[in-house]
Amino acid sequence: MTSGTVPEAERPAAARVRAVYLLTCRPGEDPAERARALAWEQTVELPPGSVPPAIEERAVGRVESLRRAGERRWRAVVSHAVEAWRPDLAQLANLLWGNVSMQGGVLLEELQLPPGAAEAAGGPAFGVSGVREACEVPERALLCGALKPLGASAAELARRAGRLALGGADLVKDDHSLSDQPWARFGDRVRRCADAVAEANERTGRSCLYVPSVTGRRSALADRIGRARDAGCRGVLLNAVPAGLAVLQGLGEEEDVFVLAHPALAGGFFGADHGIAPEVLLGELFRLGGADGVIYPNAGGRFPFDEETCRAINRRLREERPGLRRSFPVPGGGIDVERIPRWVEAYGPDTVFLVGGSLYARPDLTEATRRLVDELERHAGRHGDGGGA
Amino acid sequence: MTSGTVPEAERPAAARVRAVYLLTCRPGEDPAERARALAWEQTVELPPGSVPPAIEERAVGRVESLRRAGERRWRAVVSHAVEAWRPDLAQLANLLWGNVSMQGGVLLEELQLPPGAAEAAGGPAFGVSGVREACEVPERALLCGALKPLGASAAELARRAGRLALGGADLVKDDHSLSDQPWARFGDRVRRCADAVAEANERTGRSCLYVPSVTGRRSALADRIGRARDAGCRGVLLNAVPAGLAVLQGLGEEEDVFVLAHPALAGGFFGADHGIAPEVLLGELFRLGGADGVIYPNAGGRFPFDEETCRAINRRLREERPGLRRSFPVPGGGIDVERIPRWVEAYGPDTVFLVGGSLYARPDLTEATRRLVDELERHAGRHGDGGGA
């Protein structure tokens, strides 16, 4: 610490981002030195002690605490000035884990933003209440059917979208593999699927929404969102990691669509001792960036998230925070008609249940969807805290 | 395989993407089943055998081979139709490792695109020859000085940029932490730094280029690139993972700037048995997306890449391929005046050496830069194959 440092007690604690890291040290490594090197690497990218006091004071991360957390494991709290990234989400991710991603044994476990900083990032343009309003489902948990597979024609996809809508799905989202393939060109697919869902809505009196996957470089992406909106779509699906946090941030507001964020590629960050905890990446950063709903692999499905992780994601997405709308958790996997009551009880009503494989395994897509929606409606009042908030 | 499958010998092999995965199996797990599940998960997201033959034939990944690679380790070659992603880079990454990222023990080791597919992705708009032309350095290796630190004023950064240019740096790039902080606002920083470098060029007769870091959501990013161009900048630095592959792809061509890609956050993908090999992500995907130069942590620096990995990245960036410009490797770390002759010999002339910390450790930034450039000029003719190409 330099002579210019303001004593901890006098600092406005509210003005700093606090990041909790679990550090796994090599044998003989000094954890204090390791934490300090991290704080410097992530900001000035120079060795500790090599910048003028005024710059250290304003820009270098501060190791606020360091506690033993196991054999060769230490938990370090590092704080950063919000000015280092605000309001840029991609730069926040960079500040927290950019360069140290290329080292090892650095797990970002927790992130706390001061009041106002989250608001500056933007957050969801619609949020739970906005999506509910668009779907005309004020209270119960929502059902989202996954539209698949890659390789099907636009006509076949539209037929399936219509069946999902007829069965009472609240949302029908494209598989995230669907982009602009010759088997079903984007424009053709979106127009046909949106029409099929609209026709089903006329018959059911519901307001099912078709949510197309939008992909492509900046110009293509903007064009596709425009075409989706022209086809009457109110929301889009975005592969937030490959597309980029810079693309996610503000997309819903700038384009007037709600955004479902898919976690494709995000698994790269979920290492057990090196990475970003799923609730921080999917629950906090995706929400800050403006995801109105965040898809994640549910416990009990074909991916290895446990229920505790799912509940932590739910909590981060839905907790009340000033100036930041609440987002829908969208768990997918392990959800079928037998198990859905259990998940509604566990996760609560402000949840979108994403169902794909288990619907397509049934002979009649409409009937299979209807049975799931019936279950959601029957269990509308029965639920736990769903992981908080 | 279904009855509709065309025999291997009759398929146009050139039309498929080949991905090599190293699979780490759990005890008792069937590797053939695992490879097959991966190929289905990454495309139709349904269990094997659950789509009509025509869709399987056109869209489902094919396990081309499976070979033992160690205890519980198997190497699987999976091929995909180029139509599943072309020309969308973010979707290529998604197809290769999107959903399986959330499983474990799946390392994408190698990627081979058929002729024409790489070209469709775009690749660098300037490449090695374009950047050389802009810097007016036709043959020798280039020196890039890193402009730091975060927290310095725009005036101070400009002073440092001028010194780096006076010393003969070919490129001066912002630290990737610099965005639009109150300590040095983007517009002020870029104008001052560009002017300082231009003034230095008048004195040296060289053509040093200032490369500002551009960040922000889509609208901010476009605005900043425009302002950088207005200030006379010919290239920009992009944090390609947090910004997104969708932002990287085509950026240089659409904005008429060369692009240096920074690997911030990319370390999430570099797990030893789960991830994407650095040469595939940084060497292949970044080049396909249009990075004219790719920064990576050099062997011998403060990050754990070994020299073999660095050479593999170099090879992927620089190998001659039809319709795809060559990119500059930009190794950073472990490079100072004592060691630079060794790296020039190892990596060859089509390399940009990125130097930061070792310059700032010297009392005179201009003089320290000059000594490095002198070394590069002295060693202009002495080099090995640099990892190929």
Side-chain angles (χ1 to χ4, degrees), chain B residues 13-319:
Chain B
R16 294 185 73 79
V17 174
R18 284 166 57 90
V20 182
Y21 295 94
L22 183 66
L23 304 178
T24 303
C25 292
R26 287 182 291 270
E29 198 173 26
D30 175 3
E33 183 46 45
R34 177 86 185 279
R36 196 161 143 83
L38 180 154
W40 284 69
E41 178 67 50
Q42 288 300 107
T43 49
V44 291
E45 294 187 71
L46 283 168
S50 58
V51 301
I55 289 178
E56 177 174 346
E57 169 62 23
R58 61 164 70 144
V60 175
R62 291 178 198 147
V63 181
E64 302 285 358
S65 69
L66 184 68
R67 287 198 177 78
R68 198 171 187 107
E71 199 190 346
R72 292 197 286 116
R73 294 208 162 194
W74 296 76
R75 192 158 275 124
V77 177
V78 177
S79 75
H80 290 290
V82 293
E83 290 84 355
W85 66 274
R86 191 174 57 188
D88 185 340
L89 180 70
Q91 284 303 93
L92 174 59
N94 183 24
L95 176 72
L96 294 169
W97 206 67
N99 271 1
V100 294
S101 79
M102 289 174 284
Q103 300 175 339
V106 183
L107 179 64
L108 175 63
E109 286 185 317
E110 180 58 279
L111 171 63
Q112 291 159 3
L113 299 188
E119 195 171 349
F126 293 81
V128 167
S129 62
V131 174
R132 282 196 177 285
E133 209 168 298
C135 293
E136 300 178 10
V137 179
E139 286 181 343
R140 66 163 166 81
L142 273 65
L143 185 78
C144 179
L147 189 58
K148 49 180 75 199
L150 177 73
S153 67
E156 174 59 23
L157 290 169
R159 200 176 60 82
R160 293 178 176 209
R163 289 191 176 184
L164 290 163
L166 267 186
D170 303 298
L171 299 160
V172 172
K173 72 138 200 77
D174 281 345
D175 254 7
H176 73 298
S177 57
L178 298 177
S179 51
D180 181 43
Q181 287 90 3
W183 313 310
R185 286 290 174 202
F186 179 85
D188 191 29
R189 175 180 100 237
V190 169
R191 209 174 38 249
R192 285 174 187 259
C193 291
D195 287 352
V197 169
E199 281 170 34
N201 284 340
E202 282 180 26
R203 289 172 59 187
T204 61
R206 290 175 180 259
S207 175
C208 175
L209 303 178
Y210 167 58
V211 181
S213 169
V214 293
T215 64
R217 62 181 75 182
R218 295 182 308 155
S219 49
L221 189 87
D223 174 65
R224 286 176 198 170
I225 295 170
R227 286 199 278 165
R229 232 180 11 234
D230 290 347
C233 298
R234 308 277 299 271
V236 297
L237 179 82
L238 185 76
N239 294 323
V241 172
L245 295 177
V247 171
L248 173 64
Q249 191 177 22
L251 188 71
E253 194 186 346
E254 289 182 9
E255 300 283 0
D256 194 26
V257 287
F258 67 81
V259 178
L260 294 187
H262 190 283
L265 284 185
F269 299 104
F270 300 155
D273 61 11
H274 185 61
I276 303 177
E279 62 268 32
V280 173
L281 181 60
L282 304 181
E284 179 72 15
L285 297 180
F286 277 25
R287 179 181 178 185
L288 288 177
D292 300 282
V294 175
I295 296 170
Y296 65 79
N298 192 31
R302 62 197 192 277
F303 300 100
F305 273 19
D306 60 21
E307 195 171 326
E308 190 186 351
T309 300
C310 298
R311 285 174 179 269
I313 296 169
N314 295 354
R315 195 177 307 119
R316 296 302 287 253
L317 290 173
R318 299 190 298 205
E319 65 190 353

Side-chain angles (χ1 to χ4, degrees), chain A residues 138-218:
Chain A
E139 287 180 343
R140 65 163 167 81
L142 273 64
L143 185 78
C144 180
L147 189 58
K148 50 180 75 202
L150 176 74
S153 67
E156 174 59 24
L157 290 167
R159 198 175 62 82
R160 293 178 176 210
R163 288 191 175 184
L164 290 163
L166 266 186
D170 303 297
L171 300 161
V172 172
K173 72 137 201 77
D174 281 346
D175 254 8
H176 73 299
S177 57
L178 298 177
S179 51
D180 181 42
Q181 286 90 2
W183 314 309
R185 286 290 174 201
F186 179 85
D188 190 30
R189 175 181 99 235
V190 169
R191 208 175 39 249
R192 285 174 186 258
C193 290
D195 287 351
V197 169
E199 282 170 33
N201 285 339
E202 281 181 28
R203 290 171 58 185
T204 61
R206 291 175 180 259
S207 176
C208 175
L209 304 177
Y210 166 58
V211 181
S213 170
V214 294
T215 63
R217 62 180 76 181
R218 295 182 309 155

Side-chain angles (χ1 to χ4, degrees), chain A residues 17 124 139 151 198 202 297 331 335 350 370 376:
Chain A
V17 175
E139 287 180 343
E202 281 181 28
I335 297 165
D350 284 343
R370 185 171 294 131
L376 288 183

